[in-house]
Amino acid sequence: MTASGSDAITTRLFAPERGPRPQHPYPCRGEVPHTPLRPMWCCRADGQPWPCGQARLLLRVEYDGNLPGLSIYLAGLMYDAMRDLYHLNPHDAPTPTTLFTRFIAWTRHQPA
């Protein structure tokens, strides 16, 4: 029973929080991390579009054996990137296909 005395189940959902956060957004051992610099979504370390090559390697290692988890994590970041990039420049932002390729397509399992 609920506090009001009824057995009704509420359909009200909590508002979602902002997307996932990187574990090491600040320099570690004096190195600039390969994390996204928002709202431009370029790499803090090398200025390339994030996830840069080094960030992809580090993410593969961090999510070793959990490609679905990596894809879900990056899908949340892709959503944040879409919002930020379209807000910065709504007339010349990357297409959804471009962002999917940049954030998620590279995570697919490659047959041996």
Side-chain angles (χ1 to χ4, degrees):
M1 265 196 164
T2 62
S4 65
S6 71
D7 291 328
I9 297 175
T10 182
T11 57
R12 186 173 173 202
L13 299 175
F14 295 104
E17 295 180 14
R18 295 204 42 124
R21 301 283 177 261
Q23 288 184 340
H24 304 288
Y26 302 105
C28 184
R29 293 181 299 266
E31 299 175 9
V32 176
H34 287 270
T35 55
L37 179 61
R38 295 179 66 177
M40 295 153 309
W41 287 88
C42 60
C43 178
R44 292 175 190 273
D46 58 28
Q48 298 297 312
W50 195 89
C52 64
Q54 186 68 22
R56 290 178 183 196
L57 290 173
L58 293 169
L59 287 165
R60 281 271 191 186
V61 169
E62 185 175 343
Y63 283 85
D64 184 38
N66 187 9
L67 288 181
L70 176 58
S71 297
I72 291 168
Y73 172 71
L74 289 171
L77 293 178
M78 182 182 73
Y79 174 79
D80 286 347
M82 279 185 195
R83 183 179 53 234
D84 290 348
L85 293 171
Y86 284 107
H87 181 73
L88 281 177
N89 193 354
H91 304 293
D92 196 26
T95 66
T97 303
T98 301
L99 288 174
F100 177 84
T101 301
R102 176 174 157 183
F103 279 84
I104 300 173
W106 63 272
T107 65
R108 287 188 247 175
H109 178 69
Q110 301 296 324

